[in-house]
Amino acid sequence: QQQVRQSPQSLTVWEGETAILNCSYENSAFDYFPWYQQFPGEGPALLISILSVSDKKEDGRFTIFFNKREKKLSLHIADSQPGDSATYFCAVTNSAGNKLTFGIGTRVLVRP
Amino acid sequence: EAAVTQSPRSKVAVTGGKVTLSCHQTNNHDYMYWYRQDTGHGLRLIHYSYVADSTEKGDIPDGYKASRPSQENFSLILELASLSQTAVYFCASALSAETLYFGSGTRLTVL
């Protein structure tokens, strides 16, 4: 059973546009939702995260919107830059808080 | 300076052979993890550990063993490598599962 679903699998936007990445999850007990960014040839790195008590989290050009009732969240990348081209993973922490389950990722390409 | 170091960076192994992937961290973290990455599957957890000399099974442990001889070191062992184990393997360390710090990965090709 896939606990975390991401869409689309790939996304191309022009420089300056807003990229929107979607994520949904199965277990309503999940309460911490990090997004990781991965550049080619590197390991993933934490980009931004949100707790289920919040419905929005901003960090510069990156914003998470969270809908607990629908068990969905999205990552918005405003004013996309070519340097944002990477794969983005949505993840959830299990109830014990000792492991992270990732979605399959969304590959984002920002064209100049 | 990289705080999570994986070795080797890449390896070619033969089917049925034994493969050991190594990970060393200088973050002083209790948690360490092994994930594999494949196209279409994202990152999947193989084994993890929260204390030296103890390991836990992740979501896809079959065909893999793990060893945590010290807080700093965590190894992934493939006793009988198979073609299906061709992937990129990532090690990570963490104080808690909220923030993982990943190494640069090991690309394993099994022929």
Side-chain angles (χ1 to χ4, degrees):
Chain A
Q1 183 182 11
Q2 196 171 0
Q3 298 189 64
V4 183
R5 290 185 170 84
Q6 287 189 249
S7 64
Q9 288 196 35
S10 64
L11 177 64
T12 299
V13 297
W14 294 102
E15 182 175 355
E17 291 185 333
T18 296
I20 299 175
L21 290 65
N22 301 302
C23 179
S24 63
Y25 59 97
E26 298 289 328
N27 192 334
S28 58
F30 294 146
D31 62 2
Y32 174 73
F33 304 88
W35 285 82
Y36 281 73
Q37 179 188 53
Q38 182 183 31
F39 295 107
E42 299 180 10
L46 179 65
L47 175 66
I48 186 173
S49 63
I50 192 168
L51 292 170
S52 61
V53 294
S54 300
D55 56 13
K56 183 180 177 180
K57 175 77 172 290
E58 285 185 80
D59 186 354
R61 296 184 293 107
F62 299 90
T63 302
I64 299 174
F65 293 92
F66 181 68
N67 185 321
K68 187 171 185 176
R69 183 179 60 83
E70 295 187 6
K71 293 187 284 188
K72 292 182 178 179
L73 58 159
S74 60
L75 175 67
H76 291 224
I77 308 175
D79 188 26
S80 296
Q81 302 296 310
D84 297 329
S85 297
T87 299
Y88 294 82
F89 293 97
C90 174
V92 296
T93 306
N94 68 333
S95 57
N98 60 8
K99 62 178 185 177
L100 211 54
T101 298
F102 290 84
I104 65 172
T106 295
R107 179 177 291 184
V108 175
L109 177 63
V110 181
R111 294 194 181 277
Chain B
E1 186 173 336
V4 179
T5 305
Q6 294 184 232
S7 61
R9 285 301 309 272
S10 66
K11 183 174 181 64
V12 178
V14 295
T15 305
K18 182 177 181 178
V19 177
T20 299
L21 307 183
S22 300
C23 180
H24 178 80
Q25 57 108 350
T26 58
N27 292 323
N28 198 32
H29 289 163
D30 288 329
Y31 285 92
M32 294 189 76
Y33 303 85
W34 277 107
Y35 286 86
R36 66 175 280 175
Q37 185 171 25
D38 308 87
T39 302
H41 290 280
L43 292 156
R44 293 182 290 173
L45 181 64
I46 306 170
H47 286 288
Y48 64 104
S49 168
Y50 53 88
V51 67
D53 296 322
S54 178
T55 63
E56 306 292 331
K57 293 181 178 179
D59 299 321
I60 55 163
D62 293 345
Y64 302 93
K65 294 172 63 176
S67 175
R68 182 92 182 270
S70 64
Q71 186 195 42
E72 298 80 15
N73 296 292
F74 192 35
S75 297
L76 185 68
I77 303 147
L78 290 65
E79 295 279 4
L80 295 170
S82 66
L83 294 174
S84 65
Q85 293 176 313
T86 292
V88 180
Y89 292 84
F90 287 98
C91 175
S93 74
L95 280 173
S96 73
E98 291 189 356
T99 305
L100 270 58
Y101 296 86
F102 284 87
S104 298
T106 294
R107 182 175 297 275
L108 175 64
T109 303
V110 182
L111 302 176

